[in-house]
């Protein structure tokens, strides 16, 4: 199209105003289309960037698995009946199972030390993992499962005499594995390894270790958590009377989740029962709080940062946050079956191996049709 001079435009405006108006409309439409095109390009770039970040996050999470798949023994009788047996399959109770490698599993720990500073000198921390949970996200069922691990579970624990100097492996309470590190990332990594080994080398895709001192902050940020007090804890808080229904706030929440009666034969089991009850109530309250304030997860994350050690990175958080809304938590927490004993004045919990094997099959495997 030939470009008109300013004089020609002025002449056209006088001699043919209708034509001039049409020309102005075409130019305005062209400008609008240009702006729309730029906006669309920006949106495409932004959306593509978000998709790329999500994809990077998912790939990053899956690449951090502590092992390719659990190492489960298989029933040879089942194997013999299958014509084309594949590596990784498991024969159990007359059926064939395959590991669901799309599952994401995270280790969440509550640490008993009130200070967040690392240990110095020997490299041995005085912290222990008093609360140990596995968060299992299954994208096939869009379901989240929680597995509670008794902190007194007898397991293989790697002992270090000084920073980086492995001494030997002993059978002791799994919570003590956290002690043989720096009280931060190294301790969390050692716990991740020990828990994975307990669950037959289960792949774990990340860890979060939070000081128990953060409980009041977590609790109060979502508006408190209502429970019916399972045991009498008036020794540490007069509000915590057995059978009393109350909304936990501040230090009451801390003592309800943290307190352990060292004189009771099942002190750790009692505490684990309270922790499980608290988490079940917490999830419901947190959902309501997050609906009322969409910025609350970010607020909570910022408040927890001084108390928290994690290897979950920003792109991984982006992926998890963007997908978590589609998942449902049934409210059930899977407690490991087993037997508690008192040994040399300390509690020892021995896992029922058959029940643990069944739990791993139920949560992490899919049946292969034959």
């Amino acid at each position: 199209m030939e470009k008109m001079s300013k004089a020609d435009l002025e002449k056209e405006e006088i001699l043919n105003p209708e034509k001039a108006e049409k020309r102005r409309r075409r130019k305005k439409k062209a400008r609008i289309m240009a702006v729309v095109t730029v906006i669309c390009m920006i949106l495409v770039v932004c959306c593509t960037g978000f998709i790329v970040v999500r994809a990077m996050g998912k790939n990053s999470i899956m690449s951090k698995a502590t092992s390719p798949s659990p190492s489960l023994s298989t029933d040879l009788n089942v194997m013999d009946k299958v014509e084309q047996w594949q590596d990784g399959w498991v024969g159990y109770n007359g059926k064939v199972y395959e590991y669901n490698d799309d599952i994401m599993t995270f280790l969440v720990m509550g640490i008993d030390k009130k200070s967040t500073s690392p240990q110095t000198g020997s490299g041995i921390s005085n912290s222990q993992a008093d609360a140990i949970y596995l968060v299992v996200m299954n994208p096939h069922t869009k379901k989240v499962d929680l597995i509670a691990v008794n902190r007194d579970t007898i397991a293989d624990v790697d002992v270090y005499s000084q920073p980086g100097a492995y001494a030997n492996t002993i059978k002791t309470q799994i919570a003590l594995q956290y002690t043989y590190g720096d009280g931060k990332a190294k301790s969390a990594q050692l716990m991740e390894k020990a828990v994975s080994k307990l669950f037959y080398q289960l792949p774990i895709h990340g860890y979060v270790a939070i000081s128990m001192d953060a409980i009041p902050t977590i609790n109060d940020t979502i508006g408190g958590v209502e429970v019916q007090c399972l045991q009498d804890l008036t020794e540490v808080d007069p509000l915590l009377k057995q059978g009393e229904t109350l909304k936990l706030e501040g230090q009451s929440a801390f003592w309800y989740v943290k307190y352990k009666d060292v004189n009771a034969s099942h002190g750790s089991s009692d505490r684990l029962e309270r922790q499980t009850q608290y988490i079940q109530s917490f999830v419901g309250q947190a959902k309501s709080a997050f609906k009322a304030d969409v910025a609350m997860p970010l607020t909570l994350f910022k408040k927890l940062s001084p108390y928290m050690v994690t290897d979950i990175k920003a792109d991984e958080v982006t992926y998890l946050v963007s997908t978590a809304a589609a998942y449902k938590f049934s409210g059930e927490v899977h407690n490991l079956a087993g037997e508690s004993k008192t040994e040399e004045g300390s509690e020892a919990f021995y896992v029922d191996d058959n029940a643990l094997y069944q739990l791993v099959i139920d949560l992490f495997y899919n049946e292969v049709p034959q």
Side-chain angles (χ1 to χ4, degrees):
M1 182 181 291
E2 184 180 351
K3 187 175 181 181
M4 297 179 66
S5 66
K6 184 177 181 180
D8 290 337
L9 290 172
E10 291 176 350
K11 184 177 180 181
E12 182 184 74
E13 189 74 34
I14 296 172
L15 298 177
N16 196 343
E18 291 183 1
K19 186 176 180 181
E21 178 63 22
K22 288 181 179 180
R23 183 183 294 278
R24 282 195 297 272
R25 288 177 180 175
R26 285 198 301 270
K27 289 178 68 176
K28 183 177 180 181
K29 183 178 181 180
R31 286 196 299 270
I32 292 174
M33 288 301 297
V35 172
V36 170
T37 301
V38 171
I39 291 174
C40 288
M41 289 177 66
I42 292 173
L43 287 174
V44 167
V45 171
C46 290
C47 290
T48 303
F50 180 71
I51 292 170
V52 169
V53 169
R54 286 185 74 246
M56 289 174 60
K58 181 180 181 180
N59 292 336
S60 178
I61 288 172
M62 303 311 289
S63 68
K64 290 194 306 183
T66 51
S67 65
S69 64
S71 298
L72 296 181
S73 60
T74 191
D75 186 340
L76 296 180
N77 292 325
V78 176
M79 179 185 271
D80 291 340
K81 295 177 182 178
V82 178
E83 291 185 5
Q84 294 183 334
W85 186 266
Q86 295 187 19
D87 289 340
W89 282 5
V90 173
Y92 178 66
N93 279 350
K95 297 179 180 179
V96 179
Y97 296 91
E98 183 177 26
Y99 175 65
N100 179 358
D101 56 12
D102 288 328
I103 280 181
M104 295 175 289
T105 304
F106 302 93
L107 174 63
V108 179
M109 297 164 281
I111 309 305
D112 70 344
K113 188 186 174 190
K114 291 191 177 183
S115 170
T116 56
S117 60
Q119 297 295 307
T120 58
S122 68
I124 303 302
S125 164
N126 61 7
S127 307
Q128 297 182 17
D130 268 0
I132 307 168
Y133 288 86
L134 285 175
V135 179
V136 184
M137 299 179 66
N138 188 338
H140 296 179
T141 61
K142 299 297 181 184
K143 182 182 175 185
V144 176
D145 284 284
L146 292 184
I147 303 173
V149 180
N150 190 317
R151 54 96 62 214
D152 295 328
T153 297
I154 300 302
D156 288 333
V157 169
D158 291 339
V159 176
Y160 292 80
S161 58
Q162 54 182 314
Y166 169 78
N168 62 329
T169 299
I170 63 174
K171 291 282 188 182
T172 189
Q173 297 167 332
I174 197 169
L176 297 179
Q177 181 64 88
Y178 196 89
T179 303
Y180 293 100
D182 57 0
K184 285 196 168 183
K186 180 61 177 177
S187 291
Q189 290 163 8
L190 290 173
M191 281 296 299
E192 186 177 49
K193 178 183 176 182
V195 173
S196 172
K197 188 173 183 180
L198 175 67
F199 283 78
Y200 309 103
Q201 303 297 344
L202 175 72
I204 298 178
H205 302 91
Y207 63 77
V208 179
I210 304 175
S211 169
M212 287 289 201
D213 207 30
I215 292 171
T217 299
I218 300 171
N219 182 87
D220 294 357
T221 299
I222 66 165
V225 174
E226 186 174 290
V227 298
Q228 184 178 39
C229 196
L230 296 177
Q231 293 110 29
D232 183 79
L233 306 179
T234 52
E235 179 182 347
V236 291
D237 189 323
L239 296 176
L240 302 178
K241 300 177 182 178
Q242 186 172 12
E244 191 82 12
T245 298
L246 70 160
K247 177 171 282 190
L248 297 173
E249 295 179 343
Q251 287 302 114
S252 292
F254 171 81
W255 288 118
Y256 195 76
V257 174
K258 173 68 172 65
Y259 178 72
K260 172 186 172 182
D261 187 349
V262 296
N263 297 316
S265 59
H266 298 287
S268 291
S269 298
D270 289 344
R271 178 171 58 183
L272 181 59
E273 184 183 12
R274 295 197 310 273
Q275 290 173 349
T276 300
Q277 177 209 35
Y278 178 86
I279 288 174
Q280 290 170 326
S281 183
F282 176 90
V283 170
Q285 176 61 26
K287 285 182 178 179
S288 298
F290 292 168
K291 283 183 179 180
D293 181 1
V294 293
M296 186 170 289
L298 179 60
T299 301
L300 185 58
F301 182 82
K302 288 180 178 178
K303 288 183 177 181
L304 286 179
S305 293
Y307 304 96
M308 181 171 61
V309 176
T310 181
D311 67 343
I312 301 176
K313 299 180 293 185
D315 57 344
E316 296 167 354
V317 171
T318 300
Y319 171 72
L320 291 172
V321 170
S322 66
T323 57
Y327 284 73
K328 292 184 178 181
F329 171 53
S330 66
E332 179 184 3
V333 178
H334 303 275
N335 289 291
L336 301 186
E339 181 182 6
S340 289
K341 298 180 181 180
T342 301
E343 297 179 349
E344 298 180 358
S346 299
E347 286 188 59
F349 181 80
Y350 289 89
V351 172
D352 182 324
D353 290 331
N354 292 330
L356 178 58
Y357 190 104
Q358 182 69 64
L359 179 65
V360 171
I361 288 289
D362 290 343
L363 293 185
F364 298 94
Y365 281 76
N366 296 323
E367 185 178 347
V368 179
Q370 297 298 314

